[in-house]
PDB file of all heavy atoms in Angstrom:
ATOM      1  N   LYS A 927     -79.929   4.483 -27.310  1.00  0.00           N
ATOM      2  CA  LYS A 927     -80.204   3.902 -25.991  1.00  0.00           C
ATOM      3  C   LYS A 927     -78.938   3.392 -25.335  1.00  0.00           C
ATOM      4  O   LYS A 927     -78.940   2.877 -24.185  1.00  0.00           O
ATOM      5  CB  LYS A 927     -81.213   2.775 -26.082  1.00  0.00           C
ATOM      6  CG  LYS A 927     -82.604   3.180 -26.466  1.00  0.00           C
ATOM      7  CD  LYS A 927     -83.346   3.747 -25.290  1.00  0.00           C
ATOM      8  CE  LYS A 927     -84.804   4.024 -25.669  1.00  0.00           C
ATOM      9  NZ  LYS A 927     -85.561   4.540 -24.555  1.00  0.00           N
ATOM     10  N   TYR A 943     -84.437   8.844 -14.268  1.00  0.00           N
ATOM     11  CA  TYR A 943     -85.874   8.871 -14.332  1.00  0.00           C
ATOM     12  C   TYR A 943     -86.334   8.980 -15.773  1.00  0.00           C
ATOM     13  O   TYR A 943     -85.903   9.885 -16.486  1.00  0.00           O
ATOM     14  CB  TYR A 943     -86.420  10.043 -13.488  1.00  0.00           C
ATOM     15  CG  TYR A 943     -87.922  10.105 -13.495  1.00  0.00           C
ATOM     16  CD1 TYR A 943     -88.684   9.246 -12.721  1.00  0.00           C
ATOM     17  CD2 TYR A 943     -88.621  11.042 -14.259  1.00  0.00           C
ATOM     18  CE1 TYR A 943     -90.082   9.272 -12.730  1.00  0.00           C
ATOM     19  CE2 TYR A 943     -89.990  11.096 -14.298  1.00  0.00           C
ATOM     20  CZ  TYR A 943     -90.722  10.230 -13.517  1.00  0.00           C
ATOM     21  OH  TYR A 943     -92.097  10.267 -13.530  1.00  0.00           O
ATOM     22  N   ASP A 944     -87.144   8.048 -16.230  1.00  0.00           N
ATOM     23  CA  ASP A 944     -87.658   8.056 -17.607  1.00  0.00           C
ATOM     24  C   ASP A 944     -88.989   8.759 -17.583  1.00  0.00           C
ATOM     25  O   ASP A 944     -89.988   8.252 -17.058  1.00  0.00           O
ATOM     26  CB  ASP A 944     -87.805   6.613 -18.118  1.00  0.00           C
ATOM     27  CG  ASP A 944     -88.161   6.593 -19.612  1.00  0.00           C
ATOM     28  OD1 ASP A 944     -89.013   7.375 -20.046  1.00  0.00           O
ATOM     29  OD2 ASP A 944     -87.589   5.717 -20.328  1.00  0.00           O
ATOM     30  N   GLU A 945     -89.020   9.984 -18.109  1.00  0.00           N
ATOM     31  CA  GLU A 945     -90.251  10.816 -18.127  1.00  0.00           C
ATOM     32  C   GLU A 945     -91.356  10.185 -18.948  1.00  0.00           C
ATOM     33  O   GLU A 945     -92.511  10.289 -18.577  1.00  0.00           O
ATOM     34  CB  GLU A 945     -89.931  12.225 -18.600  1.00  0.00           C
ATOM     35  CG  GLU A 945     -89.092  13.011 -17.590  1.00  0.00           C
ATOM     36  CD  GLU A 945     -88.876  14.422 -18.033  1.00  0.00           C
ATOM     37  OE1 GLU A 945     -89.676  14.946 -18.805  1.00  0.00           O
ATOM     38  OE2 GLU A 945     -87.836  15.019 -17.564  1.00  0.00           O
ATOM     39  N   LYS A 946     -90.985   9.576 -20.080  1.00  0.00           N
ATOM     40  CA  LYS A 946     -92.013   8.918 -20.927  1.00  0.00           C
ATOM     41  C   LYS A 946     -92.765   7.832 -20.179  1.00  0.00           C
ATOM     42  O   LYS A 946     -93.980   7.730 -20.259  1.00  0.00           O
ATOM     43  CB  LYS A 946     -91.326   8.267 -22.139  1.00  0.00           C
ATOM     44  CG  LYS A 946     -91.256   9.068 -23.388  1.00  0.00           C
ATOM     45  CD  LYS A 946     -90.689   8.178 -24.472  1.00  0.00           C
ATOM     46  CE  LYS A 946     -90.445   8.884 -25.752  1.00  0.00           C
ATOM     47  NZ  LYS A 946     -89.770   8.002 -26.724  1.00  0.00           N
ATOM     48  N   LEU A 947     -92.004   7.000 -19.463  1.00  0.00           N
ATOM     49  CA  LEU A 947     -92.598   5.856 -18.741  1.00  0.00           C
ATOM     50  C   LEU A 947     -93.019   6.252 -17.366  1.00  0.00           C
ATOM     51  O   LEU A 947     -93.802   5.513 -16.694  1.00  0.00           O
ATOM     52  CB  LEU A 947     -91.612   4.683 -18.705  1.00  0.00           C
ATOM     53  CG  LEU A 947     -91.194   4.111 -20.034  1.00  0.00           C
ATOM     54  CD1 LEU A 947     -90.103   3.070 -19.828  1.00  0.00           C
ATOM     55  CD2 LEU A 947     -92.367   3.481 -20.746  1.00  0.00           C
ATOM     56  N   GLY A 948     -92.507   7.319 -16.786  1.00  0.00           N
ATOM     57  CA  GLY A 948     -92.786   7.717 -15.424  1.00  0.00           C
ATOM     58  C   GLY A 948     -92.205   6.750 -14.416  1.00  0.00           C
ATOM     59  O   GLY A 948     -92.771   6.505 -13.362  1.00  0.00           O
ATOM     60  N   ILE A 949     -91.003   6.207 -14.735  1.00  0.00           N
ATOM     61  CA  ILE A 949     -90.371   5.162 -13.869  1.00  0.00           C
ATOM     62  C   ILE A 949     -88.927   5.600 -13.599  1.00  0.00           C
ATOM     63  O   ILE A 949     -88.220   6.071 -14.466  1.00  0.00           O
ATOM     64  CB  ILE A 949     -90.353   3.803 -14.551  1.00  0.00           C
ATOM     65  CG1 ILE A 949     -91.789   3.331 -14.846  1.00  0.00           C
ATOM     66  CG2 ILE A 949     -89.656   2.770 -13.716  1.00  0.00           C
ATOM     67  CD1 ILE A 949     -91.871   2.035 -15.694  1.00  0.00           C
ATOM     68  N   PHE A 950     -88.531   5.351 -12.333  1.00  0.00           N
ATOM     69  CA  PHE A 950     -87.119   5.542 -11.944  1.00  0.00           C
ATOM     70  C   PHE A 950     -86.384   4.239 -12.139  1.00  0.00           C
ATOM     71  O   PHE A 950     -86.798   3.211 -11.633  1.00  0.00           O
ATOM     72  CB  PHE A 950     -87.033   5.996 -10.466  1.00  0.00           C
ATOM     73  CG  PHE A 950     -85.675   6.262  -9.997  1.00  0.00           C
ATOM     74  CD1 PHE A 950     -84.978   7.415 -10.387  1.00  0.00           C
ATOM     75  CD2 PHE A 950     -85.015   5.349  -9.199  1.00  0.00           C
ATOM     76  CE1 PHE A 950     -83.694   7.638  -9.938  1.00  0.00           C
ATOM     77  CE2 PHE A 950     -83.705   5.555  -8.774  1.00  0.00           C
ATOM     78  CZ  PHE A 950     -83.052   6.747  -9.160  1.00  0.00           C
ATOM     79  N   PHE A 951     -85.300   4.286 -12.881  1.00  0.00           N
ATOM     80  CA  PHE A 951     -84.458   3.110 -13.146  1.00  0.00           C
ATOM     81  C   PHE A 951     -83.215   3.160 -12.305  1.00  0.00           C
ATOM     82  O   PHE A 951     -82.444   4.121 -12.390  1.00  0.00           O
ATOM     83  CB  PHE A 951     -84.125   2.991 -14.601  1.00  0.00           C
ATOM     84  CG  PHE A 951     -85.322   2.604 -15.453  1.00  0.00           C
ATOM     85  CD1 PHE A 951     -86.161   3.547 -15.975  1.00  0.00           C
ATOM     86  CD2 PHE A 951     -85.553   1.268 -15.707  1.00  0.00           C
ATOM     87  CE1 PHE A 951     -87.246   3.207 -16.739  1.00  0.00           C
ATOM     88  CE2 PHE A 951     -86.674   0.913 -16.475  1.00  0.00           C
ATOM     89  CZ  PHE A 951     -87.516   1.856 -16.996  1.00  0.00           C
ATOM     90  N   LYS A 957     -82.398  -1.863 -18.921  1.00  0.00           N
ATOM     91  CA  LYS A 957     -82.808  -0.601 -19.480  1.00  0.00           C
ATOM     92  C   LYS A 957     -84.149  -0.743 -20.134  1.00  0.00           C
ATOM     93  O   LYS A 957     -84.509  -1.801 -20.645  1.00  0.00           O
ATOM     94  CB  LYS A 957     -81.817  -0.177 -20.609  1.00  0.00           C
ATOM     95  CG  LYS A 957     -80.527   0.305 -20.164  1.00  0.00           C
ATOM     96  CD  LYS A 957     -79.672   0.698 -21.416  1.00  0.00           C
ATOM     97  CE  LYS A 957     -78.322   1.181 -20.998  1.00  0.00           C
ATOM     98  NZ  LYS A 957     -77.466   1.450 -22.144  1.00  0.00           N
ATOM     99  N   PRO A 958     -84.918   0.349 -20.249  1.00  0.00           N
ATOM    100  CA  PRO A 958     -86.090   0.304 -21.105  1.00  0.00           C
ATOM    101  C   PRO A 958     -85.656   0.147 -22.557  1.00  0.00           C
ATOM    102  O   PRO A 958     -84.701   0.752 -22.976  1.00  0.00           O
ATOM    103  CB  PRO A 958     -86.805   1.631 -20.863  1.00  0.00           C
ATOM    104  CG  PRO A 958     -85.747   2.525 -20.256  1.00  0.00           C
ATOM    105  CD  PRO A 958     -84.731   1.653 -19.628  1.00  0.00           C
ATOM    106  N   MET A 959     -86.331  -0.708 -23.290  1.00  0.00           N
ATOM    107  CA  MET A 959     -85.976  -0.971 -24.658  1.00  0.00           C
ATOM    108  C   MET A 959     -86.531   0.116 -25.587  1.00  0.00           C
ATOM    109  O   MET A 959     -87.524   0.785 -25.234  1.00  0.00           O
ATOM    110  CB  MET A 959     -86.499  -2.328 -25.102  1.00  0.00           C
ATOM    111  CG  MET A 959     -85.859  -3.509 -24.433  1.00  0.00           C
ATOM    112  SD  MET A 959     -84.167  -3.747 -25.079  1.00  0.00           S
ATOM    113  CE  MET A 959     -83.241  -3.509 -23.602  1.00  0.00           C
ATOM    114  N   THR A 961     -88.722   1.584 -28.567  1.00  0.00           N
ATOM    115  CA  THR A 961     -90.102   1.255 -28.993  1.00  0.00           C
ATOM    116  C   THR A 961     -90.289   1.704 -30.470  1.00  0.00           C
ATOM    117  O   THR A 961     -89.438   2.361 -31.033  1.00  0.00           O
ATOM    118  CB  THR A 961     -91.165   1.944 -28.145  1.00  0.00           C
ATOM    119  OG1 THR A 961     -90.981   3.385 -28.278  1.00  0.00           O
ATOM    120  CG2 THR A 961     -91.016   1.541 -26.673  1.00  0.00           C
ATOM    121  N   THR A1002     -95.038  -0.322 -27.385  1.00  0.00           N
ATOM    122  CA  THR A1002     -95.067  -0.299 -25.919  1.00  0.00           C
ATOM    123  C   THR A1002     -93.899  -1.146 -25.378  1.00  0.00           C
ATOM    124  O   THR A1002     -93.310  -1.889 -26.162  1.00  0.00           O
ATOM    125  CB  THR A1002     -96.423  -0.875 -25.424  1.00  0.00           C
ATOM    126  OG1 THR A1002     -96.489  -0.784 -23.995  1.00  0.00           O
ATOM    127  CG2 THR A1002     -96.617  -2.306 -25.835  1.00  0.00           C
ATOM    128  N   GLN A1003     -93.676  -1.044 -24.118  1.00  0.00           N
ATOM    129  CA  GLN A1003     -92.714  -1.944 -23.478  1.00  0.00           C
ATOM    130  C   GLN A1003     -93.388  -3.311 -23.258  1.00  0.00           C
ATOM    131  O   GLN A1003     -94.652  -3.356 -23.129  1.00  0.00           O
ATOM    132  CB  GLN A1003     -92.238  -1.381 -22.141  1.00  0.00           C
ATOM    133  CG  GLN A1003     -91.435  -0.079 -22.242  1.00  0.00           C
ATOM    134  CD  GLN A1003     -90.119  -0.264 -22.937  1.00  0.00           C
ATOM    135  OE1 GLN A1003     -89.467  -1.269 -22.851  1.00  0.00           O
ATOM    136  NE2 GLN A1003     -89.723   0.730 -23.736  1.00  0.00           N
TER     137      GLN A1003
END
Side-chain angles (χ1 to χ4, degrees):
K927 291 281 186 179
Y943 180 75
D944 188 318
E945 290 184 25
K946 266 186 184 175
L947 298 173
I949 299 172
F950 181 76
F951 287 89
K957 286 180 181 176
M959 290 289 119
T961 61
T1002 184
Q1003 295 295 326

